């Protein structure tokens, strides 16, 4: 059968039209998803605040009953931290909020300083034990996990992160440019979104007093146990692994929190999620209500571009551990040895051998 050339041309034109329409629909869909993703990201970003001298009325107000007070003079105005540019290193304070059911503001259960150096391709992280006593500008010596709560309740909304950033900066001697805070529900969601993570548990973890926290005011506890060896964890199980501490200590928990972060990075890489631009809004929409950060969108883009040069197989882990502390008054109250902190921060930034 002989086909007329005009029929073939019409068929080709029709095929091109269908392909063009499919491309337009795909681009429109991606554009819509990116717009929705950007809206989600913008919802996570908060405006940075600058610490000013602490008013005398705030300094003299009653402090939380469970927090010892060591009066310090009001702090001077703290100038905004310079914003990194081009390939400048950046320090980001990662915070896990200890918000129980029914709480809007809480202490920080996890505190990790993330150092990213695009010039060398090196990433390092430094964990702080939650009970570490630190000098807090304007509020004296406090447990580091209470500083965020003090800033939010005593200075005002948005000041929790600013106060904690300055406190950590004073402690470690380097600027803290940004923060990112996530609560328990956000933590569970991000793990479940990637399909769970693989964790190699180094030893038996048996905690008879893990908090149930099923409703506001719930004070019940339960026993949790992890056998040694590699195992798959969903969001709830990973959260329990990262939070439990009665089986050993805060120092052991710091190591578990870092282990979970590295497992999450590996899972994201393994699934190629960073390249799946058509699914990015699935993740941002699921997390927009659970993450707050002062990293501007332009900085996120800078770091995303630098990520292609990062050595993600060799993220260095550091922690303020039991060998670096000074006991204060009683065995449950301790601070960090300033010389030990300087040494570990120098190694973290210079790329020295991390301590385990």
């Amino acid at each position: 059968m002989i086909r007329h050339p005009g029929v073939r041309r019409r068929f080709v034109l029709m095929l091109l039209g269908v392909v063009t329409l499919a491309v337009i629909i795909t681009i429109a869909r991606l554009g819509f998803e990116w717009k929705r993703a950007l809206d989600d990201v913008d919802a996570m970003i908060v405006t940075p605040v600058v610490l000013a001298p602490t008013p005398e009325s705030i300094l003299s107000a009653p402090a939380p009953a469970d927090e010892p007070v060591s009066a310090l003079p009001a702090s001077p105005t703290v100038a905004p931290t310079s914003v990194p540019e081009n390939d400048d290193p950046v320090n980001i304070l990662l915070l896990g909020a200890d918000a129980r059911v029914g709480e809007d503001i809480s202490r920080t259960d996890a505190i990790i300083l993330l150092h990213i150096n695009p010039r060398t391709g090196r990433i390092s992280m430094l964990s702080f034990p939650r009970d570490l006593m630190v000098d807090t500008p304007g509020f004296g010596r406090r447990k580091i996990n209470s500083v965020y709560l003090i800033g939010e309740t005593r200075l005002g909304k948005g000041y929790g992160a600013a106060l904690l950033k300055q406190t950590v900066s004073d402690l470690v001697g380097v600027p803290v440019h940004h923060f990112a805070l996530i609560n328990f529900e956000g933590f569970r969601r991000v793990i479940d979104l990637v399909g769970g993570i693989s964790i190699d548990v180094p030893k038996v973890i048996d905690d008879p007093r893990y908090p149930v926290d099923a409703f506001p005011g719930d004070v019940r506890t339960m026993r949790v146990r992890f056998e040694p060896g590699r195992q798959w964890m969903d969001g709830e199980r990973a959260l329990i692994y990262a939070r439990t501490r009665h089986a050993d200590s805060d120092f052991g928990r710091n190591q578990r929190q870092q282990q979970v972060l590295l497992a999450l990075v590996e899972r994201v890489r393994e699934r190629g999620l960073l390249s799946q631009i058509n699914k990015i809004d699935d993740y941002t929409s699921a997390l927009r209500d659970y993450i707050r950060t002062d990293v501007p969108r332009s900085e996120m883009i800078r770091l995303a571009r630098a990520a292609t040069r990062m050595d993600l197989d060799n993220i260095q882990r550091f922690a303020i551990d039991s060998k670096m502390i000074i006991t204060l008054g009683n065995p449950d109250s301790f601070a960090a040895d300033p010389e030990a902190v300087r040494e570990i921060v120098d190694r973290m930034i210079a790329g020295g051998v991390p301590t385990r």
Side-chain angles (χ1 to χ4, degrees):
M1 182 176 65
I2 300 176
R3 294 186 177 182
H4 194 279
V7 175
R8 288 199 300 270
R9 283 196 296 272
R10 285 196 296 273
F11 175 77
V12 172
L13 289 174
M14 182 177 67
L15 181 61
L16 287 174
V18 171
V19 172
T20 301
L21 180 61
V23 170
I24 290 173
I25 292 174
T26 301
I27 292 174
R29 179 172 178 271
L30 287 175
F32 173 75
E33 291 173 347
W34 270 101
K35 172 63 168 61
R36 190 164 61 180
L38 291 175
D39 289 342
D40 292 335
V41 169
D42 287 341
M44 302 176 193
I45 298 174
V46 298
T47 303
V49 299
V50 178
L51 292 180
T54 309
E56 184 61 35
S57 60
I58 291 178
L59 290 174
S60 60
D66 61 342
E67 295 298 335
V69 177
S70 174
L72 291 179
S75 61
T77 300
V78 179
T81 302
S82 59
V83 178
E85 298 179 353
N86 302 320
D87 284 343
D88 289 348
V90 60
N91 299 315
I92 303 174
L93 200 59
L94 305 181
L95 307 173
D98 188 17
R100 308 301 173 89
V101 175
E103 291 181 342
D104 293 326
I105 304 173
S106 68
R107 292 173 171 81
T108 45
D109 199 52
I111 304 172
I112 299 175
L113 183 62
L114 185 68
H115 176 74
I116 304 172
N117 191 333
R119 294 172 184 165
T120 62
R122 188 172 59 249
I123 301 176
S124 307
M125 53 183 171
L126 172 64
S127 289
F128 302 85
R130 54 174 279 169
D131 292 333
L132 180 71
M133 300 299 289
V134 291
D135 290 330
T136 305
F139 294 95
R141 182 166 282 175
R142 303 298 181 97
K143 287 184 179 181
I144 194 170
N145 75 321
S146 71
V147 175
Y148 178 87
L149 179 63
I150 291 170
E152 290 290 302
T153 56
R154 305 279 293 278
L155 296 178
K157 186 176 177 58
Y159 282 91
L163 186 63
L164 185 51
K165 284 164 59 179
Q166 188 60 44
T167 299
V168 171
S169 179
D170 291 345
L171 175 66
V172 300
V174 297
V176 178
H177 303 101
H178 303 293
F179 82 94
L181 180 144
I182 187 169
N183 63 16
F184 290 165
E185 181 59 27
F187 181 92
R188 282 191 288 259
R189 281 179 175 248
V190 73
I191 299 295
D192 288 337
L193 278 171
V194 301
I197 57 176
S198 177
I199 294 288
D200 189 6
V201 179
K203 63 180 182 179
V204 172
I205 302 294
D206 190 357
D207 182 353
R209 292 178 293 153
Y210 186 84
V212 175
D213 194 30
F215 51 82
D218 188 0
V219 296
R220 295 174 300 163
T221 60
M222 63 181 181
R223 179 179 293 276
V224 296
R225 184 179 175 89
F226 294 86
E227 298 296 337
R230 184 162 293 280
Q231 49 202 274
W232 200 258
M233 298 185 189
D234 62 8
E236 181 64 27
R237 190 67 172 165
L239 176 63
I240 294 173
Y241 183 73
R243 287 187 65 203
T244 181
R245 67 188 179 103
H246 294 113
D248 44 21
S249 65
D250 276 334
F251 304 113
R253 179 166 62 173
N254 283 347
Q255 295 298 321
R256 288 191 289 277
Q257 290 170 350
Q258 291 186 351
Q259 192 181 12
V260 168
L261 282 178
L262 293 180
L264 179 59
V265 170
E266 180 57 31
R267 181 62 172 162
V268 168
R269 295 176 62 202
E270 180 181 280
R271 297 191 61 187
L273 298 180
L274 295 178
S275 61
Q276 296 180 18
I277 60 173
N278 62 322
K279 293 184 178 181
I280 189 171
D281 64 318
D282 293 341
Y283 298 95
T284 57
S285 63
L287 296 174
R288 64 175 287 163
D289 295 330
Y290 306 103
I291 294 177
R292 291 295 176 264
T293 182
D294 63 354
V295 179
R297 197 196 294 177
S298 59
E299 180 72 349
M300 293 182 188
I301 294 173
R302 181 180 84 93
L303 294 175
R305 289 172 177 166
T308 59
R309 309 193 302 272
M310 293 288 108
D311 184 6
L312 298 179
D313 292 320
N314 189 31
I315 298 177
Q316 296 187 313
R317 299 165 57 184
F318 298 87
I320 293 180
D321 58 24
S322 58
K323 299 187 293 293
M324 301 172 57
I325 63 173
I326 301 172
T327 302
L328 304 172
N330 64 74
D332 295 327
S333 179
F334 59 90
D337 179 355
E339 290 188 8
V341 172
R342 282 195 296 271
E343 180 183 347
I344 199 171
V345 171
D346 286 345
R347 295 213 313 272
M348 180 181 79
I349 293 176
V353 178
T355 55
R356 297 287 182 176

